[in-house]
Amino acid sequence: MKKLKVTFNAPVTLMFVMICFAALILNAATGGWANNHLFSVYRSSLFSPLTYVRFFGHVIGHASFDHFLGNMMTLLIIAPLLEEKYGSGNILFVILTTAFTTGILSFIFFPRVQLLGASGVVFAFILLSSITSVKEGEIPLTFILVAVIYLGQQVYDGIFVDDDVSNFGHILGGICGSVIGYQLNKKGGGKGQGALTPGAGSLQNSSQNGNHLTYY
């Protein structure tokens, strides 16, 4: 009988989860300093090097263990399958693209909001997973249903529900996943084929620097 062994099957996904966990521990150890200065994005001076760190770092910050767990559970269900199909480089590209897009647009349009969390990345993977079977001139019905249900709910909640969720981050993440997924499949998709490059639930309350803390 062949001996079973544990494999590091999705390196980018697993490293992302471990980095997020390390960031959560670091934030707790520093009494919230790490989230405020490294792992959230908000309007700050373009002359500060940490501003550019936060454009990417906000997706690895989480406000609590429950917040972290909610995002990581969904991520660990979806992302390893996508990493197997598209390769680690493309999955890293999705994460970085979603982080930067969400970070820079939040910086520009929501100057008094402090955003952190991996829900944008999770939504990118949800939409990416629904478009994996796209063919030339065809749009999968599953993609349409997922887009309507997930993104439609975010639009509805953003307009009619007064809660602390960053629907903006979720929608942007979904858009990033959809666009990248379409391009990957158009170029041939699959591991080692058509590689683009090798390679945001949100609650709100007061932060230490006076911004409206938003975690998603």
Side-chain angles (χ1 to χ4, degrees):
M1 182 177 179
K2 190 175 181 180
K3 184 182 292 186
L4 296 176
K5 63 178 181 178
V6 177
T7 60
F8 204 67
N9 60 309
V12 169
T13 301
L14 293 171
M15 286 299 298
F16 182 74
V17 172
M18 288 188 283
I19 290 171
C20 288
F21 183 70
L24 185 70
I25 299 300
L26 179 61
N27 185 63
T30 58
W33 183 92
N35 274 358
N36 275 296
H37 293 84
L38 302 174
F39 308 133
S40 59
V41 64
Y42 48 87
R43 181 71 61 82
S44 56
S45 173
L46 291 174
F47 293 102
S48 171
L50 290 182
T51 295
Y52 301 94
V53 172
R54 290 190 289 265
F55 283 155
F56 295 93
H58 69 96
V59 296
I60 65 175
H62 290 85
S64 67
F65 182 72
D66 286 342
H67 181 210
F68 164 82
L69 195 62
N71 281 332
M72 295 305 106
M73 287 293 290
T74 306
L75 188 78
L76 285 170
I77 292 171
I78 299 172
L81 301 175
L82 295 173
E83 190 165 345
E84 174 64 26
K85 176 177 175 60
Y86 294 114
S88 298
N90 284 321
I91 292 304
L92 180 60
F93 180 77
V94 172
I95 294 172
L96 294 177
T97 300
T98 303
F100 182 73
T101 302
T102 306
I104 195 69
L105 291 181
S106 181
F107 179 91
I108 293 170
F109 294 109
F110 300 95
R112 302 304 298 171
V113 169
Q114 185 172 344
L115 183 73
L116 74 160
S119 285
V121 173
V122 171
F123 265 69
F125 286 141
I126 289 173
L127 269 294
L128 176 58
S129 69
S130 70
I131 203 170
T132 53
S133 60
V134 68
K135 297 178 182 179
E136 188 68 29
E138 297 180 2
I139 300 177
L141 179 59
T142 52
F143 170 73
I144 296 174
L145 291 174
V146 169
V148 169
I149 292 170
Y150 278 89
L151 298 187
Q153 180 187 17
Q154 297 309 307
V155 172
Y156 176 87
D157 288 350
I159 296 173
F160 297 107
V161 179
D162 183 17
D163 59 14
D164 294 325
V165 176
S166 177
N167 309 103
F168 167 78
H170 294 167
I171 292 169
L172 277 181
I175 291 172
C176 287
S178 302
V179 172
I180 294 172
Y182 176 77
Q183 292 299 322
L184 282 172
N185 284 281
K186 187 177 179 181
K187 291 173 179 291
K191 204 167 184 177
Q193 302 178 46
L196 295 176
T197 63
S202 311
L203 305 178
Q204 305 174 350
N205 41 46
S206 298
S207 67
Q208 293 178 8
N209 56 23
N211 292 314
H212 199 58
L213 181 62
T214 305
Y215 48 102
Y216 70 123

